[in-house]
Amino acid sequence: MAGRDRVTQLLKQLQRASCRCPAHSHGYSQAPEPGTTRTTDYAFEMACSNIRYGEGVTNEVGMDLQNMKARNVCVMTDRNIAKLPPVKAVLDSLVKNGVNFKVFDKVRVEPTDGSFKEAITFARQEQFDAFVAVGGGSVMDTCKVANLYACSPDAEFLEYVNAPIGKGKPVVATLCPLIAVPTTAGTGSETTGVAIFDYEAMKVKTGIANRALKPVLGIVDPLHTLHMPERVAAYSGFDVLCHALESYTALPYNLRSPCPSNPINRPAYQGSNPISDVWSKHALKIVAKYLKRAVRHPDDFEARYNMHLASVFAGIGFGNAGVHLCHGMSYPIAGMVKNFRAKDYNVDHPLVPHGLSVVLTSPAVFTFTGSVCPDRHLEAAEILGTDVQAVKREDAGLVLADALRKFLFDLKVEDGLTAVGYSREDIPDLVKGTLPQERVTKLSPRPQTEEDLTALFESSMKLY
């Protein structure tokens, strides 16, 4: 009895210590009784790639593939990274360990359905039994999709693409092992089963999200982050920031609907939950401490190394909790790009980098969501350096938005959507491009209408 009383006391302490706002009470849930119908979920699950971290750990990749008895390996990268030391380190390790491989270096930065299909064709033409992705999120996502469709030779492209754009079918094929070697501190794609692309017919981003896509191993070698130019470090770091903030403030898993009738239908993005909360909050603390240093001082090894870890931590958090409005609204911002070309990105097409497209709406978004879970918004603002002791809970969203604006201004982020080529005349199309992103927008703690989205884009035209 004494042990049971102790457990009860500890549970009560945890409950008192947790966020008390209605959207994040995280009360205990239970399975529905047989014969009854539950509208919201009652469970969450954690899925994450194995992660290996350390300076020079890329040198082990050849031994890993040898241990897997891989006979024919597909190495994917892009033409810029192909010239840099991370790819050389991978290929040297494969050669040293006698691993047969072929390189695909045509990955598009911010991939499209067209560039995905080119990679799929390459993968289907060969009998690859393992994949290695060396690069940022674009490379890792492309490699995941090539692996998926190579192992599903009869599948049409839209079969696994998220509904309502695609059919959103669950993945039942057994995929080949995929090792991810991230070279940026941003996407966290080495930890997740998510792959994002521009669907050119609709000029909007969508993706494929299934746990089957996640790499078997993420080789996180901090030496690779030293090759990131200043703006790449900034924009990829903002992706980490928004991953952490959005997953921490997402709709709780036990308020997400529908309740899956079979666990195979439980989405990868499940809503905030007690385990993801730990990773997301810790990632936010690292970003607050190290992102500015990592951007301003490329030779600050401590800062760049820690941002690489923050990317992993946030990836574990959002990979299971999900993101919401910043990401949902970012997809048309990136997909409808006109002429903007970001500094430090060596590409042959207009580009709003993913991290930039996400962070530009963050002040407006968190002003909007602050009223639903103010405690978490205040906690995030405090982590970012704001004194919140005298702040009223009803001002939580505004306070976090101000903290974000200051953070973005200090790192010379473009002054809103107008600075990347959009005008108020584009807002209807931006809203139209956001509406299909229900996989993430429904995870916002505050439901939104078309009018709400219009107001959010309007507020994001200028930041300062």
Side-chain angles (χ1 to χ4, degrees), residues 108 111-120 157 197-200:
R108 187 181 193 272
T112 64
D113 54 320
S115 71
F116 269 5
K117 289 173 184 175
E118 185 178 6
I120 291 166
F157 182 71
F197 66 96
D198 285 317
Y199 188 53
E200 293 179 293

Side-chain angles (χ1 to χ4, degrees), residues 428-441:
D429 287 336
L430 291 168
V431 171
K432 183 179 177 181
T434 304
L435 293 175
Q437 312 301 334
E438 294 181 351
R439 178 181 64 93
V440 292
T441 56

Side-chain angles (χ1 to χ4, degrees), residues 235-257:
Y235 297 149
S236 59
F238 291 135
D239 200 18
V240 181
L241 171 66
C242 288
H243 284 159
L245 284 173
E246 290 174 73
S247 56
Y248 192 57
T249 57
L251 185 77
Y253 75 94
N254 56 356
L255 296 182
R256 193 200 74 252
S257 62

Side-chain angles (χ1 to χ4, degrees), residues 392-423:
K392 296 177 181 178
R393 295 176 79 245
E394 56 263 34
D395 295 329
L398 291 169
V399 170
L400 178 53
D402 285 344
L404 286 166
R405 276 193 202 89
K406 184 178 186 305
F407 206 84
L408 302 188
F409 184 80
D410 287 349
L411 287 174
K412 301 177 182 177
V413 172
E414 285 79 355
D415 188 9
L417 296 178
T418 56
V420 297
Y422 290 103
S423 69

Side-chain angles (χ1 to χ4, degrees), residues 23-24 26 46 187 192 238-253 268-284 310-327 358 365-366 369 373 376-377 380 400 440 443-445:
H24 288 90
H26 281 321
M46 297 299 294
T187 67
T192 76
F238 291 135
D239 200 18
V240 181
L241 171 66
C242 288
H243 284 159
L245 284 173
E246 290 174 73
S247 56
Y248 192 57
T249 57
L251 185 77
Y253 75 94
Y269 286 2
Q270 302 162 95
S272 62
N273 59 77
I275 299 179
S276 284
D277 287 350
V278 173
W279 294 100
S280 300
K281 194 165 138 184
H282 188 55
L284 185 60
S311 176
V312 174
F313 296 159
I316 298 170
F318 92 85
N320 293 282
V323 287
H324 55 83
L325 287 175
C326 293
H327 273 75
V358 169
V365 164
F366 291 107
T369 57
C373 44
R376 292 197 172 209
H377 285 66
L400 178 53
V440 292
L443 288 174
S444 168

Side-chain angles (χ1 to χ4, degrees), residues 185-219:
T187 67
S189 188
E190 67 275 7
T191 70
T192 76
V194 178
I196 302 298
F197 66 96
D198 285 317
Y199 188 53
E200 293 179 293
M202 295 178 64
K203 292 187 177 181
V204 70
K205 279 188 184 287
T206 184
I208 301 171
N210 192 283
R211 295 176 185 88
L213 272 66
K214 64 183 174 59
V216 297
L217 175 64
I219 292 183

